[in-house]
């Protein structure tokens, strides 16, 4: 029998046996088979929820967001985190709480540089992060795998194998992490260069070669690559290249005094956010000065939130690109409860540190008063540091299955860091009942997503005339 542990302040931590028993007991209230239910009912209004999000966004960018969502069922799914959150809230929930990514579709995983300059694979988007039931992330990942596989023309059996690969990886690895110590879980990370060779015998030689080529390209996506791609030299000065509507220098968005107000605002963002950094990072960032700022349209669901890229340089001309992105309330908040953090930027950063094994050294947060008088929260990070997202649309079934396994492992590790892997592992058990329920859920929700996509396109068709995604 493993006794409960008591801390110095008198708090009792349940032992492993008690936690496992608690996890198994949840099955009586929420059977594993119950997770096949989508939560979709006749009272839902996904279009109304999406249109409501436009109220807090930059008005001229809302049509761009809708145009990007209208490209395919998968791009719609990427932007429709809020309607899915509402659906998840109506489905049975386990009550086994973790720090959720909140938008764990497969394109929100990718590779980037660790502080030790190793290429690691992890979740890379935490705009919606919030505590909630673990299965919400698993369901969004599984549904995204089906939606993407359908977009790629994969057959039902191929989709089944892909989803099973991802969910099985999650279930098996949450149980593996349950048997490890807390420190071992905390230090665990997926080193891409060490992991990819393990799959060499499981894929065709061409697919393996493509993977290694893509990883080599990821190594070039640092500040120097961003400098050559995003800037040019004009009259001896480094300037950001204008590529409307994706990247537009402030001087082209605003004129005269308005542009100076934005520069002052972003200068305040950079200065104030440094207080959220450790002392050594503040010292390092203090060697750089702001050179130019541009507005940047990012992602699909995030389009319309205020996002800026900031070019900084040292006195010797060494560049650094930061991205300051507005943080609004999580789409999960109406259904999982408000964040404990009053600052939404701090919510994003705290969630990222909790879920992600190795985070950007310049990741921080702040709050500023905008020129329109509104108070807005931001988080700040490097624009690029070997960042790499897999080309999902070019993947074959075997490649997407491997990618699904990597996502499943990563999500299990993130949940094991923030939740109780012993209870979750005991709840899921060693059989594939949960896997089969999620497979049913994912196919059914993909069907619903296609219906929602069609309704969305019909709703915004007049707005999209002449708008480029």
């Amino acid at each position: 029998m493993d006794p409960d542990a008591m801390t110095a302040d008198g708090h009792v931590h349940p032992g492993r046996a008690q936690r496992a028993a608690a996890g198994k007991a949840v099955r009586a209230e929420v059977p594993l088979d119950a997770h096949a239910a989508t939560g979709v009912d006749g009272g839902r209004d996904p279009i109304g929820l999406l249109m409501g999000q436009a109220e807090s966004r930059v008005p001229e960018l809302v049509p761009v967001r809708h145009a990007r969502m209208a490209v395919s069922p998968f791009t719609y799914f990427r932007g429709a985190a809020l309607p899915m959150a509402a659906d998840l809230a109506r489905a049975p929930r386990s009550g086994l709480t973790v720090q959720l990514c909140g938008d764990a579709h497969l394109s929100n995983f990718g590779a980037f540089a660790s502080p030790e300059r190793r290429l690691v694979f992890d979740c890379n988007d935490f705009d919606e992060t919030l505590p909630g039931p673990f299965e919400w992330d698993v369901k969004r990942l599984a549904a995204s795998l089906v939606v993407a596989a359908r977009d790629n023309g994969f057959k039902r059996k191929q989709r089944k194998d892909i989803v099973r690969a991802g969910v099985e990886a999650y279930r098996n690895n949450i149980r593996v992490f349950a048997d490890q110590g807390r420190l071992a879980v905390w230090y665990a990370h997926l080193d891409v260069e060490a992991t990819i060779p393990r799959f060499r015998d499981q894929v065709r030689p061409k697919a393996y070669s493509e993977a290694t080529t893509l990883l080599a390209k990821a190594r070039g996506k640092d500040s120097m690559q961003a400098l050559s791609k995003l800037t040019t030299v004009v009259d001896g000065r480094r300037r950001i290249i204008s590529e409307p509507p994706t990247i537009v220098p402030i001087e082209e968005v605003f004129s005269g005094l308005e542009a100076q107000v934005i520069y002052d605002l972003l200068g305040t963002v950079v200065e104030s956010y440094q207080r959220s950094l450790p002392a050594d990072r503040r010292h390092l960032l203090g060697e750089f000065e702001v050179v130019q700022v541009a507005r940047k349209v990012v992602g699909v669901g995030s389009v319309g939130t205020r996002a800026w890229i900031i070019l900084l340089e040292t006195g010797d001309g060494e560049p650094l690109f930061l991205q300051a992105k507005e943080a609004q309330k999580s789409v999960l908040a109406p259904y999982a409860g408000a964040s404990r953090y009053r600052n939404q930027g701090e919510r994003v950063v705290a969630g990222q540190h909790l879920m992600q094994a190795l985070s950007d050294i310049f990741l921080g947060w702040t709050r500023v008063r905008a020129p329109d008088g509104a108070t807005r929260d931001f988080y700040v990070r490097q624009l690029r540091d070997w960042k790499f997202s897999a080309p999902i649309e070019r993947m074959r079934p075997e490649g997407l299955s491997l990618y699904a396994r990597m996502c499943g492992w990563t999500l299990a590790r993130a949940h094991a860091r923030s939740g109780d892997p012993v209870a979750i592992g005991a709840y899921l058990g060693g059989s594939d009942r949960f896997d089969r329920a999620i497979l049913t859920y994912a196919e059914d929700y993909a069907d619903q997503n296609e219906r929602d996509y069609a309704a969305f396109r019909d709703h915004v068709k007049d707005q999209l005339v002449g708008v480029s995604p």
Side-chain angles (χ1 to χ4, degrees), residues 273-397:
Y273 117 88
Q274 292 184 55
R275 291 194 287 270
S276 70
L277 299 177
D280 60 332
R281 315 294 168 81
R282 292 200 301 271
H283 174 80
L284 176 59
L285 192 58
E287 299 293 325
F288 293 82
E289 292 186 355
V290 175
V291 174
Q292 194 183 18
V293 176
R295 186 174 73 185
K296 189 174 191 297
V297 176
V298 292
V300 177
S302 295
V303 175
T305 55
R306 293 150 185 87
W308 315 94
I309 56 172
I310 307 168
L311 173 62
L312 304 94
E313 289 182 353
T314 65
D316 297 327
E318 181 183 354
L320 172 67
F321 265 112
L322 295 179
Q323 177 173 293
K325 188 176 180 184
E326 182 183 10
Q328 300 183 351
K329 289 183 179 180
S330 168
V331 297
L332 301 182
Y335 315 105
S339 172
R340 59 179 287 199
Y341 299 101
R342 296 180 63 184
N343 186 303
Q344 298 302 315
E346 185 177 11
R347 170 186 61 79
V348 172
V349 171
Q352 181 164 345
H353 280 309
L354 191 54
M355 294 190 72
Q356 203 175 55
L358 302 162
S359 298
D360 175 25
I361 64 170
F362 289 117
L363 180 65
W365 54 273
T366 190
R367 170 176 288 168
V368 295
R369 183 171 293 279
D372 61 3
T375 299
R376 293 197 172 91
D377 298 337
F378 287 86
Y379 68 93
V380 183
R381 61 174 176 80
Q382 287 190 75
L383 176 62
R384 293 186 183 179
D385 205 11
W386 297 7
K387 282 195 69 179
F388 167 72
S389 296
I392 306 299
E393 69 283 355
R394 299 207 306 268
M395 281 188 173
R396 297 174 180 172

Side-chain angles (χ1 to χ4, degrees), residues 171-284:
R171 177 174 54 80
N172 286 341
N173 283 290
I174 202 76
R175 290 164 61 82
V176 169
F177 289 125
D179 290 333
Q180 297 179 0
R182 283 293 187 180
L183 287 176
V185 173
W186 200 261
Y187 290 134
H189 63 277
L190 202 162
D191 187 304
V192 175
E193 291 157 290
T195 300
I196 291 297
R198 301 177 195 169
F199 297 126
R200 186 165 195 164
D201 296 334
Q202 301 180 37
V203 297
R204 298 171 187 169
K206 184 177 180 181
Y208 182 81
S209 176
E210 289 175 351
T212 54
T213 299
L214 289 169
L215 294 177
K217 289 182 179 179
R219 280 187 166 275
K221 291 189 175 182
D222 58 8
S223 290
M224 293 306 295
Q225 193 266 359
L227 186 73
S228 62
K229 182 177 180 180
L230 301 178
T231 69
T232 187
V233 176
V234 179
D235 297 330
R237 299 180 63 197
R238 181 70 58 181
R239 309 302 290 172
I240 298 174
I241 298 171
S242 179
E243 297 181 355
T246 305
I247 299 176
V248 185
I250 291 302
E251 297 84 357
E252 296 181 19
V253 181
F254 305 97
S255 59
L257 182 59
E258 287 182 303
Q260 186 58 51
V261 168
I262 297 298
Y263 266 102
D264 292 343
L265 171 68
L266 270 297
T268 301
V269 167
V270 173
E271 181 180 355
S272 62
Y273 117 88
Q274 292 184 55
R275 291 194 287 270
S276 70
L277 299 177
D280 60 332
R281 315 294 168 81
R282 292 200 301 271
H283 174 80
L284 176 59

Side-chain angles (χ1 to χ4, degrees), residues 38-41 43-53 57 65 69 75-91 102-103 128 136 140 301 330-332 334-335 441 445 448-449 452-453 456:
T38 61
V40 173
D41 63 22
R44 65 196 295 274
D45 181 18
I47 306 304
L49 290 174
L50 291 170
M51 295 305 111
Q53 287 185 300
R57 309 211 173 197
R65 181 191 191 219
M69 291 179 65
T75 60
Y76 170 81
F77 183 88
R78 289 178 59 184
L82 177 57
M84 187 170 186
D87 293 332
L88 288 168
R90 287 187 289 265
D103 191 15
E128 312 301 346
W136 286 12
R140 184 142 175 86
S330 168
V331 297
L332 301 182
Y335 315 105
Y441 171 90
Y445 201 84
Q448 184 61 54
N449 182 75
D452 292 346
Y453 169 67
F456 174 79

